[in-house]
Each structure stands twice: as structure tokens, then as C-alpha cells.
């Protein structure tokens, strides 16, 4: 019985901190159970804010769009493209930041987390 309670507690802790950061934790449901739709928010990048949208289809991330941003072409923009693809493939916003583009990476991760929280 104690083991079962411990497993439930550990599961609850991990589910409440999905895609969390030191600033804020997000309450995100499991991949596959998100509500279909297009969710939008604003990210605070290195060179200013930019809009992102996350399209959920069949309960999963189908597309992440953050094309209209002022991040550095070969650093921040490249990181956003890379991370958007990785998040879609892995069905999570909990991916490693791109080295050299930490601010842009973290901005995208937090924005996607907000969208996934809305879809939860």
C-alpha cells in the first residue's frame, strides 16, 4: 500500500512540473490527451516578443508556428525551427535548449508550455 501511494505521489509531482522552469511550473496533461485546436501566446525572445501557435490534432502536437520573430537568423531563428520540429516529434516541450540560443530556446519552450497547458 505504501509503495502504491509513493508511485501515485511521484507521478503527480512529475505531471505537475511538465515543461517547468525555475520561474513557473505548468500543469500539462499527457500527450495524446490534449484538446484539439490552435492555441496562441506570446514569447519573450532575445530580440523582443513574438507570437507562437500550437496546433493540436487528435490530442497531439501537429504543428508549432513561430515564424514571425526578430531573433538572429542563424542562431535564434534556427534554434526555434529546430526546437519546434523536436517538440512536435517528441510530443513535449521538455527538450534541451539549443547551445548559443538559450534565451530564444527558453522563450519558445515556455510559450509552448503555456499553449499545452491551455489544451490540457
Amino acid at each position: 500500500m505504501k509503495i502504491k501511494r509513493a508511485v501515485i505521489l511521484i507521478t503527480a509531482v512529475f505531471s505537475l512540473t511538465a515543461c517547468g522552469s525555475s520561474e513557473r511550473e505548468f500543469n500539462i496533461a499527457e500527450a495524446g490527451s490534449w484538446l484539439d485546436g490552435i492555441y496562441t501566446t506570446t514569447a519573450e525572445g532575445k530580440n523582443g516578443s513574438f507570437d507562437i501557435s500550437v496546433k493540436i490534432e487528435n490530442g497531439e502536437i501537429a504543428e508549432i508556428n513561430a515564424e514571425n520573430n526578430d531573433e538572429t537568423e542563424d542562431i535564434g531563428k534556427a534554434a526555434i525551427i529546430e526546437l519546434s520540429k523536436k517538440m512536435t516529434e517528441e510530443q513535449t516541450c521538455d527538450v534541451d535548449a539549443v547551445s548559443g540560443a538559450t534565451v530564444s530556446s527558453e522563450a519558445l519552450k515556455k510559450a509552448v508550455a503555456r499553449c499545452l497547458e491551455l489544451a490540457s
Side-chain angles (χ1 to χ4, degrees):
M1 188 69 160
K2 288 183 180 182
I3 294 173
K4 185 176 180 181
R5 280 190 222 160
V7 170
I8 291 170
L9 179 62
I10 291 169
T11 303
V13 169
F14 282 115
S15 68
L16 291 175
T17 59
C19 304
S21 71
S22 59
E23 294 177 24
R24 178 170 188 255
E25 294 178 359
F26 297 90
N27 187 9
I28 300 172
E30 290 185 37
S33 66
W34 296 312
L35 300 174
D36 289 357
I38 298 174
Y39 300 88
T40 60
T41 191
T42 302
E44 295 299 325
K46 185 165 180 84
N47 294 327
S49 61
F50 58 94
D51 294 330
I52 74 128
S53 64
V54 177
K55 183 177 184 179
I56 304 293
E57 286 182 348
N58 300 315
E60 297 183 343
I61 300 171
E63 179 181 350
I64 298 172
N65 185 332
E67 294 175 6
N68 295 324
N69 64 70
D70 293 325
E71 302 303 280
T72 309
E73 190 70 37
D74 57 343
I75 300 171
K77 284 184 188 237
I80 288 169
I81 292 168
E82 179 181 333
L83 289 180
S84 295
K85 182 179 177 183
K86 190 170 189 174
M87 288 181 204
T88 302
E89 289 171 355
E90 296 182 15
Q91 294 297 300
T92 183
C93 58
D94 190 17
V95 296
D96 291 336
V98 174
S99 180
T102 305
V103 174
S104 301
S105 298
E106 292 300 325
L108 179 68
K109 289 171 53 172
K110 287 178 188 175
V112 171
R114 282 193 297 271
C115 289
L116 294 178
E117 184 174 54
L118 292 171
S120 293

